[in-house]
Amino acid sequence: MLKLAAGADVAKNIDLSKVIEPARHEPEIGSSLLEYLGTHPFVVNRIRQLVNFSLSTAYESVQSEYSY
């Protein structure tokens, strides 16, 4: 996702752990409004949700169901 959003060269220099760490404060009203009015969630929020899902029991059950 980072490669698609920022380009391959930029994505190489981004520390993913910093991107997915939870925000230390509430999101700003302006950015929340922009995301709400936009057609897609911000890339950072998509990545955070994918990481959260990959750590969930729902993901574990899907993985065990489709493991060969």
Side-chain angles (χ1 to χ4, degrees):
M1 291 195 133
L2 285 174
K3 285 182 183 181
L4 290 172
D9 293 335
V10 175
K12 289 178 189 176
N13 299 321
I14 295 176
D15 182 4
L16 189 58
S17 65
K18 297 290 183 190
V19 172
I20 62 174
E21 76 181 12
R24 294 192 176 120
H25 53 80
E26 291 295 317
E28 294 180 18
I29 293 172
S31 64
S32 297
L33 182 61
L34 282 173
E35 186 172 26
Y36 178 75
L37 296 174
T39 58
H40 295 79
F42 292 154
V43 172
V44 171
N45 292 335
R46 289 183 185 194
I47 293 170
R48 284 183 188 143
Q49 290 302 318
L50 284 171
V51 170
N52 288 341
F53 177 67
S54 72
L55 299 172
S56 70
T57 56
Y59 179 76
E60 288 177 16
S61 66
V62 170
Q63 282 294 98
S64 64
E65 185 177 330
Y66 291 103
S67 294
Y68 296 106

